[in-house]
């Protein structure tokens, strides 16, 4: 098995087969991350179905085989119901749960995007706080040294341990100069701070829906409103946009497995997402990024545009080196530019629409 040029941080699902797969790829992994079994502090994904929110017993049983890999708990919801921030007993209960997990399988830290939540958890005075790294979530959208230091100045006032890794905003994947400037500032601040790039989200570049989308997910996870984000994205959001002009997907700041090596020197690792897409999807992604190549539909590696993947086949092998150099050096002002549509037309074909049985998404 290849060890990739950059180690991977990947989602964890408490599935025995998946845990065995991760053990088989342990030398390629830097960390795994997952949400807590119970609320009210959630991760940034819609809680839609079985298997996404693990049972505590399943979590410990499957994680115990992965003792050597760093583990992080996702508490990266955009916001919490206001009463949670001032409910010390509730927050302490959550920290007790993390402490129990730490005692059983070892927890390195937590991932949070909501600074109010960072402050509220710190104020509980719970004894586990100084043992936990506080990792800014990708949705903190740190895309410049100024934003990075602003976040870290506040973190430094807390009792949390300094983070050992960060994930800059995904848009920087397509802006090598901005990424290099941020990377240099971060390494000057702390040379050991690991920089990871989110490679397979597949959202619209600098997505104008992003903040509202995160807020709607957080709102539905509070239980105060029903889940509407799938329908909204289909009718009004990214799905509707990609439906109308599918070639714009190429502008999305994903990193193909073949292009990871271009980021050596400015980043230390790759982060993959896609917990809600199930074990089969995650195994496919991890295998591709470990191997550094993928022969198939590029959309089958991407977390977000599932409907797009059912409609289009983008032959990853046909996106040659021109793809990376062009998309990381162009202006992203697309009005008069036909390059993405030319590349898309050359590498893609429309698929027959088929409906898969539910279990095939697992
Ligand atoms: S400017 Fe051209 S190459 Fe760059 S994202 Fe827009 S269409 Fe694609």
């Amino acid at each position: 098995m290849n060890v990739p040029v950059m180690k991977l941080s990947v989602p964890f699902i408490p599935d025995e087969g998946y845990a065995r797969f991760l053990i088989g790829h342990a030398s390629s992994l830097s960390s795994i991350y997952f949400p807590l079994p119970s609320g009210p502090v959630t991760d940034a994904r819609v809680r839609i179905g079985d298997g996404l929110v693990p049972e505590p017993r399943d979590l410990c049983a499957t994680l115990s085989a992965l003792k050597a890999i760093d583990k992080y708990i996702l508490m990266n919801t955009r916001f919490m119901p206001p009463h949670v921030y001032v409910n010390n007993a509730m927050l302490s209960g959550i920290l007790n749960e993390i402490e129990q997990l730490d005692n059983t399988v070892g927890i390195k830290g937590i991932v949070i995007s909501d600074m109010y939540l960072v402050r509220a958890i710190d104020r509980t005075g719970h004894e586990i706080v100084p043992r936990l790294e506080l990792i800014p979530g990708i949705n903190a959208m740190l895309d410049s040294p100024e934003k990075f230091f602003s976040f870290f100045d506040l973190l430094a006032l807390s009792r949390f341990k300094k983070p050992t890794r960060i994930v800059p905003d995904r848009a920087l994947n397509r802006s090598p100069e901005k990424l290099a400037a941020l990377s240099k500032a971060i390494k000057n601040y702390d040379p050991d701070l690991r920089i990871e790039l989110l490679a397979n989200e597949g959202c619209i570049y600098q997505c104008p829906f992003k903040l509202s989308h995160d807020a709607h997910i957080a709102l539905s996870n509070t239980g105060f409103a029903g889940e509407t984000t799938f329908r909204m994205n289909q009718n009004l959001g990214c799905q509707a946009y990609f439906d109308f002009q599918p070639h714009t997907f190429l502008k999305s700041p994903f990193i193909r497995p073949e292009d990871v090596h271009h980021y050596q020197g400015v980043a230390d690792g790759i982060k993959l997402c896609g917990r809600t897409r199930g074990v089969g999807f995650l195994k496919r992604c991890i295998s591709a990024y470990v191997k550094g190549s993928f022969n198939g539909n590029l959309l089958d590696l991407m977390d977000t545009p599932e409907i797009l993947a059912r409609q289009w086949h983008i032959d990853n092998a046909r996106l040659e080196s021109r793809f990376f150099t062009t998309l990381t050096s162009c202006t992203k002002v697309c009005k008069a530019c036909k390059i993405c549509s030319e590349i898309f037309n050359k590498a893609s074909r429309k698929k027959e629409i088929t409906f898969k049985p539910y279990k095939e998404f697992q």
Side-chain angles (χ1 to χ4, degrees):
M1 182 181 62
N2 296 339
V3 174
V5 285
M6 293 194 204
K7 287 195 176 186
L8 310 175
S9 285
V10 303
F12 180 73
I13 295 175
D15 173 280
E16 272 180 37
Y18 183 56
R20 276 197 302 277
F21 172 84
L22 292 183
I23 292 166
H25 290 79
S27 60
S28 303
L29 300 180
S30 171
S31 74
I32 53 176
Y33 56 91
F34 47 89
L36 273 180
S38 57
V41 178
T42 61
D43 58 331
R45 289 295 185 177
V46 176
R47 297 211 153 183
I48 46 165
D50 299 338
L52 298 180
V53 182
E55 290 293 325
R57 218 185 26 218
D58 295 346
L59 193 59
C60 286
T62 40
L63 279 175
S64 57
L66 294 159
K67 270 207 162 124
I69 299 171
D70 289 350
K71 297 169 198 69
Y72 293 91
I73 290 177
L74 293 171
M75 298 169 74
N76 55 341
T77 180
R78 183 87 266 161
F79 66 82
M80 294 302 309
H83 69 271
V84 174
Y85 299 110
V86 291
N87 191 332
N88 257 13
M90 189 183 272
L91 292 173
S92 294
I94 293 164
L95 292 166
N96 288 342
E97 207 177 323
I98 295 175
E99 192 166 36
Q100 275 171 18
L101 269 176
D102 183 42
N103 291 337
T104 326
V105 294
I107 299 296
K108 268 288 234 200
I110 56 181
V111 180
I112 296 188
S113 299
D114 172 2
M115 187 55 81
Y116 292 110
L117 187 57
V118 175
R119 308 272 284 172
I121 290 176
D122 188 25
R123 280 197 189 168
T124 60
H126 198 287
E127 62 183 12
I128 195 171
V129 169
R131 304 206 302 267
L132 293 174
E133 285 179 31
L134 194 296
I135 310 289
I138 175 93
N139 293 338
M141 300 173 99
L142 306 181
D143 62 0
S144 67
E146 292 82 359
K147 280 194 197 164
F148 169 84
F149 289 116
S150 180
F151 200 102
F152 272 54
D153 283 350
L154 274 161
L155 266 195
L157 299 176
S158 77
R159 296 180 305 126
F160 282 105
K161 241 173 145 173
K162 261 173 60 177
T164 57
R165 61 186 79 221
I166 73 150
V167 187
D169 185 61
R170 67 288 271 163
L172 294 195
N173 295 351
R174 294 293 174 89
S175 300
E177 283 165 22
K178 285 186 189 163
L179 179 59
L182 179 62
S183 172
K184 192 171 166 205
I186 290 171
K187 295 294 182 183
N188 283 341
Y189 169 82
D190 178 355
D192 296 326
L193 190 43
R194 186 178 158 79
I195 299 172
E196 297 184 335
L197 303 177
L198 181 61
N200 69 328
E201 188 181 55
C203 282
I204 295 174
Y205 179 68
Q206 300 279 14
C207 181
F209 298 104
K210 178 78 191 148
L211 292 177
S212 307
H213 187 188
D214 289 348
H216 279 288
I217 291 172
L219 180 65
S220 76
N221 283 345
T222 64
F224 293 157
E227 202 300 297
T228 54
T229 60
F230 291 108
R231 202 177 60 235
M232 276 164 62
N233 271 341
Q234 246 175 317
N235 295 337
L236 303 167
C238 55
Q239 303 282 5
Y241 173 77
F242 284 139
D243 236 6
F244 174 60
Q245 36 191 359
H247 67 276
T248 56
F249 173 74
L250 297 185
K251 196 175 167 185
S252 163
F254 58 83
I255 302 172
R256 297 163 65 233
E258 293 82 355
D259 292 332
V260 167
H261 67 96
H262 290 293
Y263 295 88
Q264 264 182 308
V266 290
D268 307 291
I270 290 293
K271 180 170 179 169
L272 298 177
C273 56
R275 250 170 336 105
T276 55
R277 304 289 297 278
V279 165
F281 172 86
L282 291 173
K283 284 182 177 175
R284 178 166 61 240
C285 287
I286 293 167
S287 301
Y289 283 87
V290 166
K291 201 171 161 206
S293 69
F294 178 64
N295 212 348
N297 184 359
L298 176 67
L299 293 164
D300 286 338
L301 296 185
M302 299 295 141
D303 184 17
T304 305
E306 188 175 330
I307 289 181
L308 202 63
R310 273 186 262 157
Q311 291 175 334
W312 287 95
H313 181 103
I314 304 178
D315 187 350
N316 184 48
R318 297 195 74 183
L319 297 174
E320 297 128 12
S321 58
R322 179 183 175 221
F323 170 80
F324 179 82
T325 46
T326 307
L327 271 289
T328 50
S329 59
C330 69
T331 60
K332 317 284 186 299
V333 181
C334 307
K335 199 162 183 250
C337 180
K338 299 265 179 285
I339 293 177
C340 278
S341 84
E342 280 168 20
I343 299 176
F344 185 84
N345 290 340
K346 208 169 135 194
S348 312
R349 66 178 161 76
K350 189 113 191 188
K351 287 162 72 172
E352 299 272 321
I353 301 272
T354 51
F355 294 96
K356 292 199 229 174
Y358 175 71
K359 64 179 170 32
E360 286 184 30
F361 291 102
Q362 299 301 296

